[in-house]
DNA sequence: GCTATATATTTTAGTTCTGTAACATTTACC
DNA sequence: GGTAAATGTTACAGAACTAAAATATATAGC
C-alpha cells in the first residue's frame, strides 16, 4: 500500500467524516434551538445533569470550549436561571457550576427529545455497525487528540 | 434490544464522534493556520483546486457554509490574490470562483503537508478499518442530511 | 407576453465563540 | 520562608461565520 493511497483514502475519510458530522450536528442544533439553546449551551446543561456539579475547568474539558468560552456559556445560563456558580472550598480561584432546580427540570424536560433526535440520526446503522463506528472513532479521537 | 439501549448507544456514539471530529479538526486547523488560513478558506482553495472553477453556489455545497459565508470567504481570498470571480455566461446572477496562478501555486505548495497531517490523524486505523469507517460514516451522513 | 415565484449573490447587523491579557491564587523549587 | 512559575477564571477586543433582507435575474405558469 503506497503512501499516496493511504493518504488519498484518509483525505476521503476526512471529507466523509466532516460531512457526516455537519449533518448530525445540524440535527442536534435544530433540536436544541427549539428550546433557545446553542449546542454548546446544551452541552453544559447535559454535562452538569449527567456528571453533577463540575469545576469550570472540568466543564471546559467535557464540552471542548476555551476558558473564555466556559465563562461566556455559564454567564448566559446563569442569566437564564438554569445554572449557578458556587465557590470551591479548596481553591480560592475556582468555581463549580451547578444546575438550579429550574435547570434540572429544564434538562429533564428537553433531554428525551434530543436523545431521540440523536438516535434517529444514527438509525441507519445496525447495532453492531454502531458499536464498530464507536470503537473506531474512539481510537481516532484518542490518537488525534494526543498524538499517541 | 429495547429502545433505551439503542438511544444510550447512539448518544455514546455521538459523544465519541464529536470528540474525534474535534480532535482531527484541531489538527487540520493547526496545519492550515500556519499558512494564514482558516479551515473554511482552505476548503475553498482545495475545492477549486480539485474540481476546477465552481459557481459560488456550487462552492457552498462543497464546503458547507451559508450563502453569506461563501461571499465572505471568496472576498477574503480574492483580497489575497488567491481567487478571482468571473461572470457566468449563462446566468447574469451567477459567478464562478477561479484560482489565480498564485492561488494554484499556493495550494500546490501547502496541500502535501495538509494531506500528511490528515493521514497521520487517521493513522491509528488499519486500511480495512479506514474503509469500514468511511462506509459507515458515508451512510450516516447521507441519512442525517436527508432524513432518508 | 405577462405576472408570480424562485433563485444567485451581496449587504448588513448580529451571534457565538476565541485569543490574549489581567489578576488572584496555588504550586514548585530552593 | 521567599520567589518564580503555573493555573483558574474573567474581561475584552476581535474573528469567523450566520440569518435575514435586498436586488437583479431566471423560471414557471397561464
Amino acid at each position: 500500500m503506497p503512501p499516496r493511497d493511504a493518504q488519498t483514502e484518509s483525505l476521503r475519510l476526512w471529507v466523509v467524516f466532516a460531512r457526516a458530522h455537519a449533518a448530525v450536528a445540524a440535527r442536534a442544533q435544530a433540536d436544541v434551538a427549539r428550546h433557545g439553546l446553542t449546542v454548546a449551551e446544551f452541552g453544559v446543561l447535559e454535562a452538569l445533569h449527567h456528571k453533577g456539579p463540575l469545576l469550570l475547568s472540568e466543564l471546559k474539558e467535557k464540552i471542548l470550549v476555551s476558558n473564555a468560552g466556559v465563562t461566556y456559556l455559564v454567564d448566559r445560563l446563569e442569566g437564564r436561571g438554569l445554572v449557578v456558580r458556587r465557590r470551591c472550598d479548596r481553591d480560592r480561584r475556582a468555581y463549580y457550576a451547578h444546575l438550579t432546580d429550574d435547570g434540572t427540570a429544564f434538562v429533564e424536560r428537553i433531554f428525551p427529545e434530543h436523545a431521540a433526535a440523536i438516535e434517529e440520526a444514527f438509525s441507519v446503522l445496525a447495532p453492531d455497525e454502531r458499536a464498530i463506528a464507536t470503537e473506531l472513532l474512539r481510537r481516532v479521537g484518542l490518537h488525534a487528540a494526543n498524538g499517541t
Side-chain angles (χ1 to χ4, degrees), chain A:
Chain A
M1 179 74 73
R4 181 133 243 109
D5 279 345
Q7 213 172 61
T8 303
E9 292 304 321
S10 294
L11 286 167
R12 179 165 147 68
L13 172 53
W14 180 227
V15 168
V16 170
F17 191 174
R19 297 189 85 93
H21 180 267
V24 179
R27 286 195 176 215
Q29 196 271 331
D31 182 71
V32 297
R34 286 165 43 233
H35 306 289
L37 296 173
T38 64
V39 167
E41 286 169 338
F42 179 79
V44 171
L45 295 176
E46 186 181 39
L48 294 177
H49 189 238
H50 290 124
K51 310 284 183 185
L54 294 170
L55 291 173
L56 296 199
S57 55
E58 291 173 328
L59 205 37
K60 162 186 162 143
E61 302 295 336
K62 289 282 178 269
I63 65 175
L64 299 178
V65 296
S66 64
N67 292 331
V70 171
T71 298
Y72 170 80
L73 292 167
V74 172
D75 282 351
R76 285 176 59 95
L77 294 169
E78 217 172 9
R80 286 178 66 168
L82 301 176
V83 167
V84 288
R85 285 172 169 84
R86 296 226 177 109
R87 282 191 174 278
C88 172
D89 296 338
R90 265 176 284 274
D91 186 335
R92 306 260 307 271
R93 298 171 300 182
Y95 290 85
Y96 285 95
H98 294 241
L99 283 179
T100 62
D101 288 346
D102 281 354
T104 300
F106 181 66
V107 177
E108 285 176 355
R109 178 159 62 82
I110 70 174
F111 188 77
E113 284 178 17
H114 182 73
I118 299 298
E119 182 186 7
E120 213 291 316
F122 290 113
S123 65
V124 70
L125 299 185
D128 61 313
E129 288 174 321
R130 198 173 51 211
I132 290 168
T134 301
E135 178 55 24
L136 293 179
L137 293 182
R138 188 186 65 84
R139 285 164 51 207
V140 168
L142 288 174
H143 171 65
N146 301 315
T148 59

